[in-house]
Amino acid sequence: MDKDSIKGFIAARAAKELNDGDVVNLGIGLPTLVPNYLPEGVSVILHSENGILGTGPKPGKEDAQPLYVVDAGGSPASADVGGSFIDSSVSFGLIRGGHVNCTVLGALEVDAEGSLSNWIIPGKRVPGMGGAMDLVVGAKKVIVAMEHTAKGAHKILTKCRLPLTAVRCVDMIVTEMGVINVTPEGLLLTEINPEFTVEQIRDATEAPLRVSENLKSMGG
Amino acid sequence: MKTILTPAEAARMIPDGASVMVGGFMGCGSPHKTLAEIKATGLTLICNDGSMPNGPDGSDYYGVAKLIHNRQVRKLITSHVGLNPEVAEQHNAGTLELVLVPQGSLAEMIRAAGAGLGGVLTPTGLGTLVQEAEHVHSVVEVDGRQYLLERPLRADFALLSGHLIDRRGNIWYKGTTRNFNVVMATAADIVIAEAEHIVEAGGIEPENVVTGGVLVDYIVDGGCADG
């Protein structure tokens, strides 16, 4: 698979986790592809933490109002039919209050306990946490959707080495190699992309990885 | 009726070294005309983010990015600076103090200050670097659950932007521009709201007033950005 099809493959699998009517917040990058792969009959309410509940399609150049309606990345956005604009306090009240069913986001590192690092590389990149810390603490389900390694370097670790975004917050990791659930006993491989073997996935994963007795194929 | 100022008159009220809250998210909903006139230096700036260069309005430095570019900010309290590389440059050079606060905590710390609360208990940031930050009072356990006790956050000035502001200071926001403007209106000694359109009292239906005029001290005639 090339880079783009890997991203689409991961996004498509993450999309299967969403239920009709879910309120969902998507991180930047790969997670923004998730709505393109929603299963038939599933429609979700997208939350943009800067102030849209019910984010609509990306507006065309003529409809864009870049001074007035943007998403959490600062790019032109729209409110869907039935959507609303909210202020930051209400927006994060929805997040922390458990009114967001699911967030799908990327990671620099995630570990065997489900702790997540995705906001800072000390001495190199200090972009800030933005809304990420609130999202992974508040959303009912936290899905990390990312490539399994960073050009071969492990990202799924025994213990995160970078500063944490939150402790024990991740429920599920979806990569091009498989689907991993975070359980009290550690990481559990529940689905495998048939292009890979369990051994290959274990090699690409620093954390100990148990394999589910009902290991399924990740295809499609 | 509120006093109506020009952007330059409003900007002159802000002295060197003042703490200033500025509404907006990546510049969307910031009081751009007033920001462009601010000459004060050594500011403590409280804003969701460091905004970005190359604004959609054609500006080289959008919103608060102008103040950062001109080195008028000594300390920045914010949640995200990833789109403005000048923040990292100045921070690494030791000329800009940077305090990163989770976005939801920042909103709620400001809301707490404006609502007369002694702090905010939030699970956000527990077990992270945030726990060590100056704005966190302590870790508190309530009924078996742990929280960070975040201090309230207020400022000398709040600079807001509204699409419609009536002569009593009532504000209606367009699109996603309400963001931090709503909470900041409650948490500063002097609140200055820049209007794209000033309308007569009653020009905004009571149901549509988002920020009540009692919170606003001065209105700036900002002129309209969308013609």
Side-chain angles (χ1 to χ4, degrees):
Chain A
M1 284 192 280
D2 64 27
K3 199 95 173 160
D4 280 347
S5 51
I6 285 176
K7 285 183 179 168
F9 181 77
I10 297 169
R13 179 58 191 84
K16 285 188 185 171
E17 292 302 310
L18 305 180
N19 301 308
D20 193 40
D22 276 357
V23 177
V24 178
N25 186 294
L26 302 173
I28 53 168
L30 190 159
T32 60
L33 302 174
V34 168
N36 303 341
Y37 298 98
L38 285 173
E40 188 90 7
V42 174
S43 146
V44 300
I45 297 160
L46 294 176
H47 171 269
S48 296
E49 65 268 25
N50 64 305
I52 313 177
L53 185 57
T55 308
K58 198 111 195 118
K61 238 191 168 112
E62 280 173 18
D63 297 324
Q65 301 183 77
L67 302 181
Y68 300 112
V69 184
V70 302
D71 60 20
S75 299
S78 75
D80 217 343
V81 174
S84 59
F85 295 124
I86 53 181
D87 71 70
S88 297
S89 172
V90 170
S91 180
F92 281 87
L94 289 171
I95 292 169
R96 282 188 315 264
H99 308 285
V100 173
N101 299 93
C102 183
T103 184
V104 183
L105 74 176
L108 295 166
E109 297 173 349
V110 52
D111 73 22
E113 294 186 321
S115 295
L116 170 73
S117 300
N118 74 348
W119 72 280
I120 186 172
I121 305 175
K124 275 194 183 160
R125 260 194 97 239
V126 186
M129 67 292 279
M133 285 191 178
D134 297 282
L135 273 162
V136 297
V137 164
K140 282 191 185 151
K141 183 166 190 172
V142 175
I143 300 175
V144 166
M146 63 173 190
E147 290 181 57
H148 204 97
T149 65
K151 294 173 186 154
H154 288 154
K155 297 177 76 175
I156 303 172
L157 308 178
T158 306
K159 196 95 186 157
C160 285
R161 293 187 270 271
L162 291 169
L164 294 179
T165 307
V167 178
R168 292 195 183 98
C169 59
V170 176
D171 297 294
M172 174 183 268
I173 306 164
V174 179
T175 77
E176 76 282 13
M177 298 183 111
V179 177
I180 295 169
N181 284 351
V182 181
T183 76
E185 293 78 42
L187 302 182
L188 180 69
L189 184 70
T190 57
E191 291 179 32
I192 183 168
N193 179 348
E195 290 187 26
F196 300 96
T197 65
V198 169
E199 275 322 297
Q200 283 176 314
I201 298 176
R202 282 204 164 118
D203 283 347
T205 308
E206 184 197 90
L209 190 62
R210 290 177 306 120
V211 178
S212 168
E213 289 172 12
N214 306 311
L215 185 66
K216 296 188 180 102
S217 167
M218 196 187 170
Chain B
M1 297 297 158
K2 306 287 178 183
T3 305
I4 296 177
L5 307 173
T6 65
E9 285 168 343
R12 278 201 292 275
M13 295 177 69
I14 299 169
D16 289 350
S19 58
V20 182
M21 288 178 176
V22 178
F25 190 108
M26 294 301 167
C28 180
S30 290
H32 294 283
K33 299 278 171 61
T34 305
L35 288 173
E37 297 291 339
I38 292 176
K39 302 288 188 283
T41 59
L43 298 172
T44 295
L45 174 63
I46 302 165
C47 188
N48 174 62
D49 51 75
S51 193
M52 55 191 176
N54 303 318
D57 58 352
S59 61
D60 291 338
Y61 300 95
Y62 196 38
V64 297
K66 229 173 262 118
L67 301 180
I68 294 162
H69 175 72
N70 292 328
R71 298 180 175 273
Q72 292 166 271
V73 181
R74 179 186 66 78
K75 180 175 182 178
L76 176 60
I77 302 173
T78 187
S79 80
H80 194 267
V81 295
L83 296 187
N84 184 349
E86 289 192 323
V87 173
E89 285 166 26
Q90 293 180 25
H91 177 58
N92 291 339
T95 56
L96 175 66
E97 186 183 348
L98 179 62
V99 179
L100 291 167
V101 184
Q103 201 167 112
S105 301
L106 184 64
E108 213 58 20
M109 288 157 64
I110 296 167
R111 200 188 72 81
L117 302 176
V120 177
L121 292 178
T122 178
T124 304
L126 265 176
T128 74
L129 290 178
V130 170
Q131 203 167 305
E132 313 303 323
E134 63 174 20
H135 50 87
V136 173
H137 178 277
S138 55
V139 177
V140 173
E141 191 172 307
V142 181
D143 295 339
R145 287 198 63 189
Q146 285 199 324
Y147 301 90
L148 297 188
L149 173 52
E150 297 272 10
R151 292 187 164 87
L153 182 61
R154 56 181 299 120
D156 301 331
F157 294 87
L159 304 181
L160 320 177
S161 162
H163 191 63
L164 301 181
I165 303 183
D166 77 17
R167 289 177 182 275
R168 291 181 191 271
N170 294 305
I171 307 179
W172 180 80
Y173 301 94
K174 183 167 172 169
T176 58
T177 62
R178 55 182 73 188
N179 52 61
F180 275 77
N181 283 298
V182 176
V183 284
M184 287 177 173
T186 67
D189 296 343
I190 297 177
V191 176
I192 300 171
E194 178 178 312
E196 291 190 323
H197 300 276
I198 296 173
V199 298
E200 295 306 318
I204 306 170
E205 295 293 322
E207 295 92 327
N208 292 332
V209 172
V210 180
T211 294
V214 297
L215 297 168
V216 174
D217 297 301
Y218 298 95
I219 300 169
V220 172
D221 186 354
C224 188
D226 63 357

